[in-house]
Amino acid sequence: MKKKLISVLLGITLVVSNCSYVGAVDIGDSAVEVPDFSDEVQEDELFSDGSEEVPETEDETVHPAATTEKVKVGIKGSYLAASQAVLDRINQIRREAYEEGVQDPRDPSKKLTMADYVPLKWSSDLEYIARIRSAEASVRREHIRPCNMWPESIWAPGGTTSYAENLAWNRANDMLYGINQWYGEKNDWVNQTGRVTGHYESLITPEY
């Protein structure tokens, strides 16, 4: 029997480097099909090149619950093309935080300044990772892959991996909706309410 789940997911992967990049993808309203293990699934771009196989030696990218047993499944859905709009919105949020002198996520006792501001650039490698994570997180809604490995176990063809990820679930079928979900944490960060603000912090952290 095949189970169908309706999900909406926006996946963002961020990487720390000399230049800041962002990759994002939204799989929209999609029927996620989880077939019987006996079903043959044709490999496509949703799957990595196998570099996420559990290594024999200890590796920090491997979750403690990971096993060597692997089953590949197909995820039915579609991707939205809104990269420029997403990039513009994130950079708008970042610039606003620096202009207003919002608390620095690296040290909340200090304020961000325009001297810290670096606009993000789009990365096709991180988009590759975000596509995989979007599909995976539609069936396992947490920051652990279905194969019980950490997200940074995925390597893009260009040799890039991610160091953090923001995930958002909604039914808007709109990538910007997910970005604004994270932006909605700004008030809690500014007022230090103690509520979840990690997504907003990721958007404005200078190293990202």
Side-chain angles (χ1 to χ4, degrees):
M1 294 291 292
K2 293 185 178 180
K3 298 179 181 179
K4 289 190 176 181
L5 306 174
I6 303 300
S7 65
V8 177
L9 170 68
L10 175 68
I12 291 280
T13 53
L14 304 171
V15 64
V16 179
S17 63
N18 291 331
C19 296
S20 297
Y21 296 93
V22 59
V25 64
D26 190 332
I27 64 170
D29 283 320
S30 61
V32 179
E33 297 188 359
V34 183
D36 292 334
F37 290 162
S38 59
D39 288 356
E40 182 177 351
V41 180
Q42 184 174 2
E43 186 169 350
D44 60 22
E45 65 177 4
L46 286 182
F47 301 116
S48 69
D49 60 4
S51 60
E52 75 273 28
E53 291 293 323
V54 178
E56 295 181 359
T57 57
E58 185 176 351
D59 188 327
E60 64 180 8
T61 64
V62 182
H63 186 269
T67 70
T68 56
E69 297 179 4
K70 302 293 181 184
V71 175
K72 289 185 176 180
V73 297
I75 305 296
K76 182 179 180 181
S78 60
Y79 293 107
L80 301 179
S83 58
Q84 191 59 54
V86 166
L87 188 60
D88 289 345
R89 178 56 178 147
I90 293 176
N91 282 329
Q92 180 185 47
I93 292 170
R94 286 170 68 84
R95 188 176 186 89
E96 175 189 82
Y98 290 71
E99 289 178 339
E100 294 180 357
V102 169
Q103 295 96 319
D104 190 333
R106 300 169 300 181
D107 182 354
S109 67
K110 299 180 179 180
K111 305 289 186 180
L112 293 170
T113 69
M114 284 304 295
D116 300 313
Y117 177 70
V118 178
L120 295 181
K121 299 178 182 179
W122 193 265
S123 166
S124 57
D125 270 359
L126 291 179
E127 180 181 2
Y128 172 92
I129 295 172
R131 283 174 176 263
I132 294 174
R133 287 296 298 132
S134 292
E136 291 180 340
S138 68
V139 294
R140 183 170 185 175
R141 299 179 62 168
E142 54 185 319
H143 295 289
I144 300 175
R145 304 181 64 197
C147 60
N148 284 325
M149 298 185 75
W150 301 115
E152 56 265 33
S153 66
I154 303 174
W155 288 84
T160 297
T161 188
S162 61
Y163 293 90
E165 69 176 9
N166 276 6
L167 298 177
W169 289 268
N170 58 66
R171 296 184 179 277
N173 200 29
D174 180 356
M175 292 175 71
L176 289 176
Y177 190 94
I179 301 298
N180 288 323
Q181 280 182 264
W182 302 330
Y183 179 65
E185 298 173 356
K186 177 185 177 181
N187 182 66
D188 290 312
W189 173 248
V190 170
N191 294 295
Q192 295 292 291
T193 64
R195 300 182 67 182
V196 174
T197 58
H199 305 92
Y200 177 72
E201 292 176 59
S202 292
L203 292 178
I204 66 172
T205 296
E207 279 81 4
Y208 291 155

